[in-house]
Amino acid sequence: MANTVNLKIDGIDVSVEAGKTVLDAAKELNIHIPTLCYHEDLCVAGNCRVCVVEQEGARNLVASCAMPAQEGMIIHTNTHKVRNARRHVVELLLSEHNADCTKCYKNKNCELQDLASEMVINEHMFTDLVPIKNYTKDQQSPSIIKDDSRCIRCQRCVRTCSELQHVSALGVAYKGDHMKISTFFENPMYDVVCTNCGQCVNRCPTGALIEKNYIDQVWDAIYDKDKHVIVQTAPATRIALGEDLGMEPGEIVTGKMAASLRRLGFDSVLDTDFTADLTIMEEGTELLTRLKKALVDKDSSVKVPMFTSCSPGWIKFIEHQYPEYLENLSTCKSPQQMFGALAKTYYAQKKGLDPSKIVSVSIMPCTAKKFEAARPEMRDSGYQDVDLGITTRELAVMIKQAGMDFEKLPDEGFDSIMGDSTGAAVIFGATGGVMEAALRTAYELITGREVPFENLDITPVRGMEGVREASIKLEGLLPEWSFLEGVELKTAVAHGLTNAHQIMEAIKKGEANYHFVEVMGCPGGCIGGGGQPIPTTPEIRKKRAEAIYREDTGMKIRKSHENPEVAQIYKEFLGEPLGHKSHELLHTHYTKRKRH
Amino acid sequence: MPEIKELVKGLADKHGRTRESLLPILQGIITEERFISDAAMTEVARELDMSAALVYGTATFYSFLDTKPRGKYVIRICRTITCDMKGKKQIIKTLEDLLKVKVGETTKDNKFTLLETNCLGWCHKGPVMLINDEAYTELTDEKVSEIIGDYMKNK
């Protein structure tokens, strides 16, 4: 039984677990205290002071996010003093903030703007310092724009980058009125160790960190009669898009999304889930081949454990921080890039389209996908494989621009071909999903039997714990795989790059002995991606993950190798997994990047 | 930059490789190099296995950890209120005339850099300046000319 403390907030008694803050206690009572620097995913900073409350007996106002609830405390959240103080805090922040809201990408989606509106701040109480501040704006990254003139120095991004991601591309530089959020030597974001994961973008309360949006370019492509615009949608967008369009977290909107894309004017509405299934075929085969070479042939040039390669944030992380392990990465391109390479080859051939006239657009829960699409390695179709990558949020903007009532849209399906998918592909969107999908297929390939888990749900790899391990004993194998008989396949799953760092250190020190490791760059996997609707919190991630698994359970086919379109593409085009054509189009290599 | 590499390695051997070693290592670089270059910071980050942005943040926080090249002798005049009232403006003018540079600049021969700084704690003997680690107090035009003349000739 945990200790509880009793306190009184605005005259109402409340008991909370010891260690909870005054802010938590107020939440219990449904009393809303405004916050800016506070975020549920991050450690308490207590630097913005917007959440101040009055504590009886205390000389100064206290920051409720940082003040532990104590026995007998009497708190007032709405006194004259409190309201004045909060107002001055916001006014002072505004005096250094480029409040040209109509020209801001975050207009109407900004926590500072919300507060200013709530407090009815109509005029400048303090001198506007923006004109003399000489702020910089970094627009060089293909993924993220950093505009210091909109920054309120709450340091959510700094905490995100270090606590959640172990990257620390962003830090705090200088002090006092010169203090700013800065990369190393104020270099552009694209030139530092940033992984483009966009977790900072997802947590920035203002417009200081935003994704580089390609909304106009997508519209231009759609309006260009000469172009055939293909769109693919990632597994995790279909369970989050609704949140930006007035719906609750955890609602599955696959059908409405397909309908909206068709109405926006995309010529082919296809599904990244198709190439997620294909990834399983390629990556599963690669894993088994690696295991044979490493365990049976004792070929030391083959590296085990094999790491998944679907998450471009994770790829850039390992390229910067663990380049000695690049050989361990699966050579499989991510589903987005497999899709891109096939759209301008296989799809174009089948549909009689001129690949030079195809514009390939992807809808992703991710900002790093923008960078990935622009990588010079990703042009195996003879063209840039994916032309434009946009986030779930950008798609929501387009749907609003087009005047659609999203909730009332009918449920439609994807076009064929490259629109069919399985439950295994959908769960790519949640941490552990790629592992589960791979095990469903690989186990059956080598044993001829389904994975020994009830209803195909490999629960040990599911959940939100940072690092999870699971092992499966390989027994009763088909004759051609008998060399793996008795092997205990050891796997691990990590999400969020801080957990990835932890797993990498364990592997480096020889403390962990895995065969196959899934890493997703963002907490929760793609469902918590940097391009997903804002806010993203632990609770919202949980709801989105539940939706993903619901979608999986509801699918007719739940194993990648049973996807009929996957069978078809191998028969008509690719030949076999890891075959010549696959190598040409679906596999890639990685680049060592500077560590600092 | 092998010298920087060796310098940083030596400092890390001496002070350790934990986060709290960062400050003494940066101070050590200042003593040797007068400023901390981006190459030096990268090297510190590598040696301590920490983010370079963090090293940069620490270096830029402290005014005495210069991140731009400085002359052999860094002159810092106290700009705070007491020294100001005791005539620091005139002292700066004299220094600028003598060195032919403005505040913030370094002489062409890289011998002197002229900077302002916050309170040096010598308010009772202002105006005051530091040349590297040496404090010079109760400055007058004549005294400044003498001190700088000595540095120019003898150091």
Side-chain angles (χ1 to χ4, degrees):
Chain A
M1 182 81 184
N3 289 337
T4 57
V5 292
N6 305 295
L7 64 162
K8 204 185 266 279
I9 302 180
D10 295 345
I12 313 168
D13 289 316
V14 60
S15 306
V16 290
E17 219 176 286
K20 294 272 182 191
T21 62
V22 171
L23 183 67
D24 295 326
K27 260 185 214 158
E28 295 271 314
L29 295 174
N30 294 316
I31 294 172
H32 175 71
I33 296 175
T35 53
L36 275 175
C37 68
Y38 172 82
H39 194 285
E40 281 176 60
D41 277 331
L42 306 171
C43 78
V44 167
N47 62 32
C48 79
R49 315 310 287 179
V50 122
C51 70
V52 287
V53 294
E54 207 171 332
Q55 181 191 349
E56 278 190 19
R59 201 164 57 95
N60 294 326
L61 297 177
V62 298
S64 60
C65 72
M67 171 61 78
Q70 287 154 38
E71 188 63 38
M73 247 182 180
I74 299 173
I75 299 286
H76 302 282
T77 72
N78 197 23
T79 61
H80 186 238
K81 196 172 167 189
V82 164
R83 283 161 54 89
N84 258 349
R86 287 182 190 164
R87 195 189 162 91
H88 281 147
V89 165
V90 173
E91 280 171 346
L92 281 165
L93 287 173
L94 286 170
S95 75
E96 293 185 302
H97 177 83
N98 174 3
D100 197 352
C101 296
T102 54
K103 288 185 189 146
C104 179
Y105 184 61
K106 290 285 285 290
N107 191 14
K108 292 185 79 185
N109 191 7
C110 167
E111 294 176 41
L112 183 64
Q113 190 185 41
D114 288 348
L115 281 179
S117 152
E118 196 177 289
M119 294 174 178
V120 199
I121 295 173
N122 293 332
E123 50 195 302
H124 280 302
M125 172 91 143
F126 301 101
T127 314
D128 181 9
L129 295 174
V130 177
I132 59 163
K133 276 285 188 175
N134 206 12
Y135 289 122
T136 51
K137 186 171 179 179
D138 169 15
Q139 308 190 71
Q140 295 187 42
S141 152
S143 295
I144 297 172
I145 295 175
K146 176 171 174 283
D147 180 356
D148 289 349
S149 76
R150 313 247 184 224
C151 176
I152 56 166
R153 294 169 291 282
C154 68
Q155 300 171 35
R156 273 192 199 171
C157 55
V158 175
R159 283 174 283 152
T160 301
C161 204
S162 90
E163 287 170 30
L164 298 182
Q165 301 298 67
H166 191 81
V167 172
S168 286
L170 291 173
V172 179
Y174 302 96
K175 66 174 169 234
D177 58 338
H178 297 292
M179 191 260 251
K180 64 193 295 191
I181 308 304
S182 171
T183 54
F184 177 57
F185 246 84
E186 287 157 69
N187 289 329
M189 296 272 275
Y190 91 96
D191 199 25
V192 295
V193 293
C194 172
T195 65
N196 303 305
C197 73
Q199 286 297 312
C200 57
V201 172
N202 204 294
R203 279 168 192 73
C204 179
T206 68
L209 285 158
I210 55 173
E211 70 263 28
K212 184 173 267 184
N213 83 76
Y214 299 113
I215 294 171
D216 284 341
Q217 286 93 320
V218 175
W219 279 124
D220 286 348
I222 288 173
Y223 291 142
D224 188 340
K225 289 275 170 285
D226 209 27
K227 294 276 168 26
H228 185 97
V229 190
I230 293 176
V231 67
Q232 53 164 319
T233 64
T237 54
R238 68 202 63 200
I239 49 82
L241 175 63
E243 290 170 39
D244 266 352
L245 296 160
M247 297 167 81
E248 287 301 309
E251 290 202 46
I252 301 169
V253 295
T254 318
K256 294 187 196 307
M257 180 177 70
S260 69
L261 291 168
R262 214 161 268 131
R263 286 168 197 216
L264 286 174
F266 288 104
D267 298 300
S268 299
V269 178
L270 306 177
D271 201 352
T272 316
D273 284 17
F274 165 74
T275 38
D277 279 331
L278 201 59
T279 301
I280 290 301
M281 299 304 292
E282 293 290 326
E283 202 164 294
T285 313
E286 186 187 352
L287 174 66
L288 294 171
T289 314
R290 277 197 196 217
L291 289 179
K292 177 171 187 298
K293 285 185 183 161
L295 304 179
V296 184
D297 308 342
K298 307 282 178 208
D299 181 347
S300 61
S301 71
V302 174
K303 299 284 187 267
V304 173
M306 184 174 92
F307 300 131
T308 58
S309 56
C310 304
S311 166
W314 153 241
I315 297 294
K316 195 144 180 284
F317 178 81
I318 193 169
E319 287 180 330
H320 281 294
Q321 303 208 9
Y322 295 96
E324 65 273 29
Y325 285 95
L326 290 181
E327 296 282 312
N328 293 64
L329 278 172
S330 162
T331 58
C332 288
K333 288 181 185 171
S334 71
Q336 166 180 279
Q337 293 307 137
M338 283 198 184
F339 192 101
L342 292 172
K344 293 190 180 179
T345 53
Y346 174 64
Y347 191 80
Q349 278 173 30
K350 292 285 284 186
K351 300 282 172 177
L353 298 167
D354 174 357
S356 70
K357 300 229 163 89
I358 290 178
V359 178
S360 180
V361 177
S362 66
I363 317 287
M364 293 285 143
C366 184
T367 51
K369 289 281 173 196
K370 295 169 186 282
F371 170 84
E372 186 187 40
R375 284 179 76 122
E377 300 92 334
M378 300 298 172
R379 305 178 66 93
D380 290 330
S381 65
Y383 306 90
Q384 181 166 329
D385 294 337
V386 174
D387 295 290
L388 298 162
I390 66 170
T391 59
T392 312
R393 294 191 292 266
E394 287 165 79
L395 175 60
V397 171
M398 291 184 71
I399 291 170
K400 284 184 206 160
Q401 287 175 338
M404 277 181 246
D405 187 345
F406 187 74
E407 288 185 65
K408 297 215 175 74
L409 288 178
D411 287 339
E412 291 179 12
F414 292 99
D415 293 335
S416 177
I417 47 180
M418 292 173 63
D420 251 0
S421 66
T422 70
V426 170
I427 56 174
F428 264 58
T431 166
V434 175
M435 179 61 69
E436 181 166 348
L439 291 178
R440 280 184 196 170
T441 286
Y443 190 87
E444 197 164 321
L445 275 182
I446 57 176
T447 63
R449 303 185 308 274
E450 287 192 339
V451 279
F453 289 91
E454 197 186 334
N455 198 22
L456 297 175
D457 293 346
I458 308 180
T459 44
V461 298
R462 296 188 180 183
M464 286 294 159
E465 212 176 305
V467 176
R468 305 184 295 284
E469 295 177 341
S471 58
I472 293 190
K473 187 118 184 170
L474 304 178
E475 286 170 321
L477 303 188
L478 295 172
E480 61 268 39
W481 297 101
S482 57
F483 59 87
L484 289 173
E485 186 70 43
V487 168
E488 183 153 340
L489 186 70
K490 288 189 184 145
T491 68
V493 171
H495 60 118
L497 294 171
T498 296
N499 295 316
H501 166 75
Q502 194 188 317
I503 240 177
M504 291 307 292
E505 287 299 309
I507 290 170
K508 213 170 164 175
K509 289 186 193 125
E511 292 163 3
N513 202 7
Y514 305 120
H515 297 114
F516 188 31
V517 179
E518 178 207 292
V519 181
M520 289 296 155
C522 290
C526 306
I527 51 143
Q532 291 284 58
I534 300 170
T536 297
T537 62
E539 200 189 323
I540 292 174
R541 281 197 292 272
K542 211 171 129 227
K543 286 187 179 154
R544 290 179 190 158
E546 282 162 10
I548 281 267
Y549 289 116
R550 260 199 334 274
E551 178 88 336
D552 166 35
T553 313
M555 297 289 279
K556 271 209 304 283
I557 307 173
R558 296 184 57 217
K559 293 175 284 190
S560 296
H561 56 282
E562 291 177 357
N563 181 336
E565 284 190 351
V566 167
Q568 187 190 357
I569 195 175
Y570 278 115
K571 195 161 145 239
E572 293 178 355
F573 188 72
L574 290 171
E576 55 179 354
L578 293 189
H580 176 68
K581 200 117 194 173
S582 289
H583 262 297
E584 208 174 280
L585 291 173
L586 308 182
H587 292 260
T588 186
H589 57 275
Y590 306 99
T591 311
K592 182 178 171 173
R593 296 176 199 271
K594 62 183 179 194
R595 171 68 182 84
H596 297 289
Chain B
M1 288 232 201
E3 312 91 68
I4 277 289
K5 224 179 158 88
E6 253 160 59
L7 171 64
V8 173
K9 191 177 174 298
L11 287 164
D13 286 340
K14 185 172 162 201
H15 298 291
R17 285 174 170 76
T18 56
R19 198 167 161 152
E20 50 273 31
S21 326
L22 179 58
L23 213 43
I25 291 174
L26 294 179
Q27 284 171 317
I29 297 171
I30 287 287
T31 311
E32 290 299 317
E33 303 280 316
R34 292 275 158 262
F35 85 109
I36 312 169
S37 63
D38 56 346
M41 284 189 220
T42 310
E43 202 46 43
V44 173
R46 204 189 57 72
E47 197 67 47
L48 270 57
D49 192 25
M50 67 166 53
S51 137
L54 203 94
V55 178
Y56 181 69
T58 308
T60 52
F61 184 87
Y62 295 99
S63 5
F64 279 46
L65 297 180
D66 286 311
T67 55
K68 294 190 190 89
R70 299 297 187 212
K72 189 176 173 198
Y73 298 106
V74 182
I75 306 169
R76 298 171 200 268
I77 328 285
C78 176
R79 68 170 174 195
T80 325
I81 192 158
T82 317
C83 289
D84 190 71
M85 287 166 70
K86 288 193 173 171
K88 120 231 162 194
K89 278 200 189 79
Q90 179 56 39
I91 300 299
I92 288 183
K93 207 175 161 301
T94 310
L95 281 163
E96 284 179 343
D97 288 349
L98 282 169
L99 300 169
K100 313 269 186 292
V101 291
K102 296 270 173 225
V103 171
E105 293 176 352
T106 301
T107 54
K108 283 214 177 71
D109 59 1
N110 284 325
K111 196 159 178 184
F112 298 98
T113 299
L114 184 58
L115 301 172
E116 283 185 307
T117 183
N118 287 324
C119 184
L120 294 169
W122 287 91
C123 306
H124 58 303
K125 288 192 170 182
V128 62
M129 69 176 177
L130 274 183
I131 300 183
N132 290 352
D133 289 337
E134 199 71 36
Y136 295 89
T137 59
E138 292 170 299
L139 297 172
T140 58
D141 285 353
E142 297 72 39
K143 226 169 154 180
V144 167
S145 303
E146 208 177 291
I147 296 163
I148 297 299
D150 184 44
Y151 269 89
M152 281 174 163
K153 257 187 255 136
N154 306 324
K155 294 190 181 178

